[in-house]
């Protein structure tokens, strides 16, 4: 018998396809359930509904009350069954896992979650039953702001890029950073779109960071930590920098407090740590191992800093870090289709790459991120020096300078690709 709350999912004609769609379809064929995780407002519910035939939304008071009174009934409905924001009733996770074990059928459930529930509230990780798919805010390709004519998958296969035009310029890049990749911000004017990340920062500070584990945290301190992270966005700033940066009237937060806040922000998927690449099997050069921290979307850093278009227009240094975060967001989305991940690289010789992109087959490519065209030569030279540290067998599949304002994507004579972000896609 279906539960009273088992709405059939209608096909939404205005659903905008997401890069993770193909991963979700594949996982539904292989596993009993798919667990879609990621920050709030990035589109998990819409994507979950797109792949489901019935649903229950646990952020609705009525449906949450029903699920608490009748948890087994809340899992009943045409499959795949969407359980949205399941962390509000974590007991449903174990019930779904038992159902998958008992019935032994793929494609039964889609669970979505905007935070990690306390580990003691679930008795099983879901391994072997649920496949986890991470969603981020929209990449430029998903939002329609990149042509996608340069394919990351094809870059791994080699060959030259044949002069694909880009329509992005400095002003448009800045607008896209401030707007962010929030589905609700598409087709809105600049002022309305900028309100979404501002409201997100307020929600984090006032409630979300405390709700995630039931620990009450001071909203003023949360804002200080968020501002500090925004000032040090896309850097390897350590605890000493963050403590100093959050000091107020001479009082620094302790290491324990800052770590606690960082851990809570990770649990609600607000910050993303870009790990250092370890090419130990390919090179004996000693690596710098500290991660870079990014907001999951650069618009959140803008909102945390409480700055706008006019402030950022001439602040090229800050804008450079924000653009790097946007490149990291988009590249992470595209790499996920290849079962890949995006790292950063720096060695003891101070050779570095803003991005090392690994695919699921062990291949890798390197990218430097630059806003303008005048820095392309130096970025390409740096990539070539870094590449020389590796022999031919273990070397990169491609080298690339990601930028904002180049009018075309092309391959240089030295083999380095120049790729405007407005042409990149999966």
């Amino acid at each position: 018998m279906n539960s009273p709350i088992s709405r059939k999912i209608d096909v939404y004609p205005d659903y905008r396809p997401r890069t993770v769609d193909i991963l979700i379809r594949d996982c539904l064929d292989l596993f009993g359930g798919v667990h879609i995780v990621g920050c709030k407002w990035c589109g998990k519910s819409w994507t979950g509904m797109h792949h489901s035939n019935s649903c229950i939304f646990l952020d609705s008071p009525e449906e949450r009350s029903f699920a608490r009174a009748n948890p087994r009934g809340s899992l009943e409905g045409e499959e795949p069954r969407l359980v949205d924001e399941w962390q509000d009733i974590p007991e449903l996770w174990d019930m779904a896992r038992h159902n998958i074990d008992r019935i032994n059928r793929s494609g039964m459930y889609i669970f979505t979650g905007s935070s990690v529930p306390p580990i003691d509230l679930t008795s099983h990780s879901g391994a072997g039953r649920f496949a986890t798919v991470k969603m981020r805010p929209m990449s430029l390709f998903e939002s329609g702001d990149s042509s996608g004519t340069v394919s990351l998958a094809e870059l791994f296969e080699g060959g030259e890029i044949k002069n694909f035009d880009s329509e992005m310029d400095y002003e448009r890049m800045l607008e896209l950073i401030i707007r962010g990749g929030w589905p609700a911000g598409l087709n809105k004017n600049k002022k309305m779109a900028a309100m979404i990340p501002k409201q997100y920062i307020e929600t984090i500070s006032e409630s979300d960071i405390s709700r995630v584990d039931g620990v009450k945290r001071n909203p003023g301190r949360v804002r200080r930590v968020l501002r500090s992270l925004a000032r040090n966005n896309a850097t390897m700033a350590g605890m000493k920098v963050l403590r100093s940066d959050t000091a107020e009237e001479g009082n620094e937060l302790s290491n324990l407090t800052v770590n606690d806040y960082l851990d809570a922000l990770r649990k609600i998927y607000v910050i993303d740590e870009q790990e250092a690449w370890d090419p130990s099997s390919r090179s004996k050069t000693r690596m710098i191992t500290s991660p870079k921290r990014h907001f999951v979307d650069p618009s959140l850093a803008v909102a945390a800093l409480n700055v706008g278009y006019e402030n950022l227009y001439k602040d090229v240094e800050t804008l450079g870090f924000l653009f790097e975060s946007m490149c990291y967001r988009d590249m992470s989305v595209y790499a996920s289709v290849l079962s890949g991940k995006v790292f950063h690289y720096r060695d003891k010789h101070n050779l570095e790459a803003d991005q090392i992109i690994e695919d699921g087959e062990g291949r890798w490519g390197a990218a430097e991120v630059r806003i303008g065209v005048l820095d392309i030569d130096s970025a390409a030279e740096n990539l070539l020096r870094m590449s020389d540290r590796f022999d031919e067998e273990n070397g990169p599949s491609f080298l690339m300078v990601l930028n904002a304002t180049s009018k075309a994507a092309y391959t240089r004579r030295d083999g380095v690709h120049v790729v405007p972000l407005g042409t990149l896609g999966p």
Side-chain angles (χ1 to χ4, degrees):
M1 179 186 298
N2 289 346
S3 72
I5 302 176
S6 58
R7 287 177 281 180
K8 182 75 171 63
I9 303 298
D10 296 321
V11 176
Y12 286 85
D14 56 348
Y15 175 73
R16 187 179 288 271
R18 303 297 293 269
T19 303
V20 296
D21 286 335
I22 187 171
L23 296 176
I24 293 171
R25 286 194 295 268
D26 288 346
C27 289
L28 284 171
D29 286 340
L30 290 169
F31 296 90
V34 174
H35 183 205
I36 307 175
V37 301
C39 63
K40 279 188 173 182
W41 306 351
C42 71
K44 297 186 306 300
S45 299
W46 275 72
T47 294
M49 291 167 67
H50 180 68
H51 293 277
S52 302
N53 287 315
S54 68
C55 62
I56 184 168
F57 295 97
L58 298 182
D59 58 355
S60 160
E62 176 192 3
E63 300 191 20
R64 187 166 57 248
S65 295
F66 171 79
R68 290 191 182 283
N70 186 7
R72 294 191 183 278
S74 69
L75 293 177
E76 295 175 352
E78 188 173 347
E79 297 172 358
R81 171 73 162 167
L82 171 64
V83 182
D84 192 54
E85 300 296 347
W86 71 273
Q87 74 277 351
D88 289 343
I89 307 182
E91 294 83 0
L92 295 179
W93 177 267
D94 287 333
M95 289 187 179
R97 181 182 65 82
H98 285 302
N99 287 344
I100 292 170
D101 285 345
R102 178 172 56 85
I103 299 172
N104 191 26
R105 185 166 59 236
S106 62
M108 293 177 64
Y109 300 110
I110 297 176
F111 276 40
T112 71
S114 298
S115 64
V116 179
I119 195 169
D120 58 344
L121 295 183
T122 57
S123 63
H124 196 281
S125 67
R129 285 80 166 181
F130 278 88
T132 298
V133 175
K134 184 172 183 177
M135 280 189 71
R136 290 177 168 83
M138 282 182 160
S139 65
L140 296 187
F141 178 70
E142 292 170 311
S143 65
D145 297 293
S146 169
S147 65
T149 48
V150 178
S151 163
L152 177 62
E154 291 179 6
L155 287 176
F156 274 105
E157 300 304 324
E160 293 187 358
I161 296 173
K162 302 296 185 181
N163 290 321
F164 295 116
D165 293 338
S166 172
E167 298 181 0
M168 187 185 295
D169 56 19
Y170 187 90
E171 289 77 11
R172 182 57 177 160
M173 172 202 64
L174 179 51
E175 291 173 2
L176 292 172
I177 286 172
I178 295 172
R179 184 199 73 187
W182 312 107
L186 302 187
N187 304 317
K188 299 293 192 297
N189 63 45
K190 297 177 187 177
K191 183 177 181 181
M192 291 182 66
M195 289 175 62
I196 295 171
K198 289 180 180 178
Q199 185 58 48
Y200 203 144
I201 291 295
E202 284 302 302
T203 302
I204 294 168
S205 303
E206 294 293 336
S207 61
D208 281 5
I209 198 171
S210 296
R211 285 186 59 209
V212 66
D213 53 11
V215 177
K216 182 64 177 175
R217 296 178 176 88
N218 183 293
R221 286 184 175 179
V222 177
R223 291 187 181 91
R224 284 160 56 193
V225 171
L226 291 171
R227 280 196 300 271
S228 176
L229 290 170
R231 282 193 287 264
N232 296 285
N233 185 67
T235 73
M236 292 181 285
M239 190 60 61
K240 183 177 180 180
V241 172
L242 296 178
R243 286 184 58 191
S244 175
D245 208 31
T246 54
E248 189 174 61
E249 296 180 355
N251 295 319
E252 288 187 358
L253 300 180
S254 68
N255 281 351
L256 186 63
T257 299
V258 174
N259 268 322
D260 171 71
Y261 282 49
L262 292 177
D263 188 51
L265 291 169
R266 292 186 199 101
K267 287 180 178 178
I268 56 176
Y269 304 105
V270 167
I271 59 173
D272 221 344
E273 292 191 339
Q274 182 183 4
E275 298 173 14
W277 187 51
D278 179 13
S280 55
S281 63
R282 300 181 174 96
S283 170
K284 296 181 180 180
T285 304
R286 184 168 56 85
M287 301 295 113
I288 307 298
T289 59
S290 300
K292 285 186 179 181
R293 290 192 187 90
H294 302 264
F295 278 86
V296 71
D297 191 274
S299 65
L300 293 178
V302 175
L305 290 170
N306 195 28
V307 294
Y309 186 96
E310 297 301 328
N311 306 92
L312 288 172
Y313 187 83
K314 294 182 179 180
D315 188 351
V316 179
E317 182 178 6
T318 298
L319 195 55
F321 288 117
L322 293 170
F323 179 64
E324 184 176 340
S325 275
M326 183 159 69
C327 290
Y328 174 70
R329 177 200 67 193
D330 284 16
M331 192 67 80
S332 296
V333 171
Y334 306 148
S336 68
V337 183
L338 305 174
S339 300
K341 192 171 180 179
V342 183
F343 302 87
H344 76 91
Y345 173 92
R346 181 178 294 177
D347 64 25
K348 65 179 182 179
H349 304 291
N350 285 326
L351 289 176
E352 60 181 317
D354 294 319
Q355 296 183 355
I356 297 291
I357 307 99
E358 278 194 345
D359 72 357
E361 299 179 9
R363 298 177 299 181
W364 65 280
E368 282 279 70
V369 176
R370 299 291 186 272
I371 289 180
V373 296
L374 298 182
D375 296 321
I376 289 175
D377 285 345
S378 61
E381 291 169 4
N382 184 68
L383 287 170
L384 291 166
R385 286 196 301 271
M386 188 273 285
S387 177
D388 286 342
R389 296 281 175 187
F390 301 86
D391 59 38
E392 185 174 351
E393 182 181 355
N394 293 310
S397 297
F398 63 86
L399 301 173
M400 170 172 54
V401 181
L402 266 177
N403 72 95
T405 58
S406 175
K407 293 303 180 184
Y410 59 94
T411 302
R412 293 161 46 105
R413 291 181 179 179
D414 55 18
V416 177
H417 305 305
V418 176
V419 180
L421 190 61
T423 64
L424 188 63

